């Protein structure tokens, strides 16, 4: 469904993503993991086109999307969350959910107020996520975990085919983490394909069908959680061994 081919993103001399190639199969939950600075978020940014790749290709359902503007990528069915919530504090949750989904180029910013269809759709998504009780709460009153759920709700407004989740369980307490895991599974059961960046290895290993491991901007291993867990390159990467190999 999603094909990333030889993707590169350079910042001056820094090769944040350096020829990464991997696929995400339709209907899968695929994890993108790797040590700090491996290039995962930069890869996400290039795939969702919030950053322009230096080179390489991204294909969604047989169509090249790496040259599109971000809202066009969303319109093609790919949506993503950010590590840091895009919550607009002076709006309610339901307003946030609708407005964030409307930021589709300049036109989106000038649209009139929410329609009743949009409100109904947003409410049904909040209901699915079990957070209708905070629908009319101001964004600045939300807990960190509630913001994560609100961001997930905003992402679903665009009826995506594939969602990219950047550390959905980062910094949340264990019970909310289980709730988020349940939502991801439920969305996947409904047919949504999921690509997830997450540092919580236990969560990744039990949630993912496939794991793609990055280190130093490159994909060093991809396979089922069991295969990846035992791969010596992956163990090396997490222990800093890759650096030593390259220096040798
Ligand atoms: N805008 C930028 N300008 C310069 N360097 C950057 C920029 N964004 C990322 N980098 C560098 O690119 C490399 C990859 O960063 P990235 O955030 O993609 O890694 P990551 O795998 O997501 O890390 P983490 O798990 O810590 O979030 C790092 O060395 C980082 O410092």
């Amino acid at each position: 469904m999603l094909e990333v081919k030889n993707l590169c993103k350079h910042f001056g001399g820094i090769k944040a993503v350096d020829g990464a190639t991997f696929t995400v199969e339709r209907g899968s939950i695929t994890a993108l993991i790797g040590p700090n600075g491996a290039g995962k978020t930069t890869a996400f940014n290039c795939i969702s086109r919030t950053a322009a790749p230096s080179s390489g290709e991204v294909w969604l359902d047989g169509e090249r999307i790496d040259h599109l503007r971000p809202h066009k990528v969303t319109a093609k069915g790919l949506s993503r969350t950010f590590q840091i919530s895009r919550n607009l504090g002076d709006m309610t949750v339901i307003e946030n959910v609708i407005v964030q989904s409307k930021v589709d180029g300049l036109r989106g910013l000038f649209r009139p107020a929410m329609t009743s269809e949009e409100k109904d759709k947003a409410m049904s998504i909040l209901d699915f996520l079990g957070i209708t009780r905070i629908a009319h709460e101001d964004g600045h009153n939300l807990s960190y975990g509630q913001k994560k759920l609100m961001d997930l709700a905003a992402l679903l407004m665009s009826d995506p085919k594939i969602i990219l989740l950047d550390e959905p369980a980062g910094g949340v307490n264990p019970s909310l983490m289980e709730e988020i895991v349940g939502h991801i599974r439920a969305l996947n059961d409904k047919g949504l394909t999921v690509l997830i960046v997450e540092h919580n290895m236990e969560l990744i290993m039990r949630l993912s069908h496939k794991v793609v491991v990055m280190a130093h901007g490159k994909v060093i291993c991809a396979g089922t959680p069991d295969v990846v867990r035992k791969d010596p390159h992956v163990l090396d990467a997490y222990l800093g061994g890759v650096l030593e190999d390259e220096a040798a």
Side-chain angles (χ1 to χ4, degrees):
M1 172 176 219
L2 181 73
E3 290 175 87
V4 176
K5 297 182 187 173
N6 210 15
L7 188 68
C8 295
K9 177 68 179 176
H10 301 165
F11 298 104
I14 299 169
K15 295 179 174 177
V17 179
D18 189 18
T21 295
F22 63 93
T23 55
V24 177
E25 281 72 31
R26 183 183 311 283
S28 71
I29 299 177
T30 298
L32 188 58
I33 67 165
N36 289 329
K40 307 175 298 288
T41 295
T42 307
F44 255 38
N45 292 344
C46 291
I47 295 167
S48 60
R49 208 43 180 82
T50 41
S54 303
S55 62
E57 299 176 7
V58 180
W59 294 73
L60 179 66
D61 278 340
E63 194 176 346
R64 202 167 158 184
I65 59 165
D66 50 85
H67 59 288
L68 299 178
R69 294 173 65 86
H71 65 278
K72 295 274 184 201
V73 172
T74 307
K76 296 280 176 198
L78 184 150
S79 291
R80 55 94 47 101
T81 60
F82 292 82
Q83 247 174 52
I84 297 166
S85 172
R86 297 201 298 170
N87 167 36
L88 305 167
D90 52 350
M91 289 189 193
T92 65
V93 168
I94 191 161
E95 285 167 344
N96 257 289
V97 167
I98 293 171
V99 169
Q100 284 191 36
S101 72
K102 278 186 170 194
V103 181
D104 55 356
L106 276 182
R107 204 165 49 85
L109 292 174
F110 296 113
R111 274 199 205 154
M114 306 177 280
T115 65
S116 61
E117 287 80 20
E118 285 170 334
K119 281 186 196 162
D120 289 349
K121 183 172 181 183
M123 278 311 274
S124 76
I125 292 170
L126 295 180
D127 187 36
F128 172 77
L129 296 175
I131 50 170
T132 48
R133 68 187 179 284
I134 59 164
H136 303 290
E137 194 68 57
D138 271 357
H140 49 235
N141 290 338
L142 302 184
S143 69
Y144 182 76
Q146 287 171 330
K147 284 181 194 161
K148 290 250 172 204
L149 291 172
M150 184 184 74
D151 289 348
L152 188 56
L155 174 98
L156 297 174
M157 280 294 283
S158 62
D159 295 321
K161 299 188 273 194
I162 176 167
I163 54 173
L164 276 55
L165 305 176
D166 200 351
E167 297 200 29
V172 305
N173 65 48
S175 80
L176 181 61
M177 191 181 97
E178 285 313 313
E179 202 180 318
I180 291 172
V181 166
H183 293 320
I184 295 171
R185 281 222 175 91
L187 289 167
N188 182 244
D189 286 346
K190 286 177 156 192
L192 199 59
T193 304
V194 182
L195 178 63
I196 178 171
V197 164
E198 180 53 60
H199 281 287
N200 184 324
M201 216 45 82
E202 184 272 330
L203 182 153
I204 284 302
M205 291 300 167
R206 72 186 157 100
L207 189 63
S208 315
H209 303 114
K210 175 179 171 181
V211 180
V212 176
V213 189
M214 283 184 77
H216 301 289
K218 299 178 195 300
V219 173
I220 58 164
C221 177
T224 62
D226 267 351
V227 166
V228 164
R229 206 194 309 260
K230 291 176 194 144
D231 189 294
H233 296 101
V234 177
L235 298 174
D236 268 3
Y238 275 93
L239 296 172
V242 165
L243 274 177
E244 287 157 24
D245 286 353
E246 281 182 356

